[in-house]
Amino acid sequence: MFEKHHNQLILNVNFLGVAMSYGLLGLSLWLSTDIPLATKGYWAMGIFLLTLSLVNVVKYRFDMRLDEDRLKRIEDARNEKMLEEAIKEAA
């Protein structure tokens, strides 16, 4: 339970950091008068798409880890069954 609460706290801190960075980026793009609007939009789209890409990378890495864990559990169960059968045959 503590680990789940700890993970939720870290997740909330990360969400807060992303929200703050987007807010500060928006504020800096809004207040900068020397940069044309098209350039501001290009930068904002780039940052947004970079964030989406990073979320996808993390998701796929997490999915790969879950798949590896699932395969390991299946192999462990198979090895356990084979060991039990070998012990029954030897007895």
Side-chain angles (χ1 to χ4, degrees), residues 2 5 12 15-17 20 23 27 31-32 43 47 50 52 57-59 61-62 67-68 80-81 85-87 89:
F2 175 72
H5 175 69
N12 287 339
F15 279 137
L16 180 65
M20 284 180 56
L27 183 66
L31 294 178
S32 61
W43 287 350
I47 297 296
L50 176 63
L52 286 178
V57 166
V58 170
K59 180 205 176 295
R61 293 280 305 209
F62 185 72
D67 289 343
E68 289 172 3
E80 181 83 21
K81 185 176 180 180
E85 289 175 359
I87 291 173
E89 289 176 7

Side-chain angles (χ1 to χ4, degrees), residues 1-88:
M1 184 174 124
F2 175 72
E3 187 172 321
K4 185 176 180 182
H5 175 69
H6 187 66
N7 288 341
Q8 188 64 37
L9 178 65
I10 291 172
L11 191 63
N12 287 339
V13 168
N14 285 325
F15 279 137
L16 180 65
V18 169
M20 284 180 56
S21 66
Y22 273 135
L24 291 173
L25 173 70
L27 183 66
S28 68
L29 290 177
W30 179 266
L31 294 178
S32 61
T33 56
D34 297 338
I35 302 170
L37 185 59
T39 304
K40 291 178 186 182
Y42 182 75
W43 287 350
M45 286 187 300
I47 297 296
F48 181 71
L49 292 174
L50 176 63
T51 304
L52 286 178
S53 298
L54 291 174
V55 167
N56 283 330
V57 166
V58 170
K59 180 205 176 295
Y60 289 129
R61 293 280 305 209
F62 185 72
D63 288 347
M64 286 172 47
R65 179 174 284 172
L66 284 178
D67 289 343
E68 289 172 3
D69 289 344
R70 187 177 303 121
L71 287 174
K72 184 170 176 13
R73 284 185 290 164
I74 290 170
E75 288 176 2
D76 289 344
R78 183 183 52 135
N79 290 339
E80 181 83 21
K81 185 176 180 180
M82 288 172 55
L83 200 60
E84 286 176 4
E85 289 175 359
I87 291 173
K88 285 180 186 178

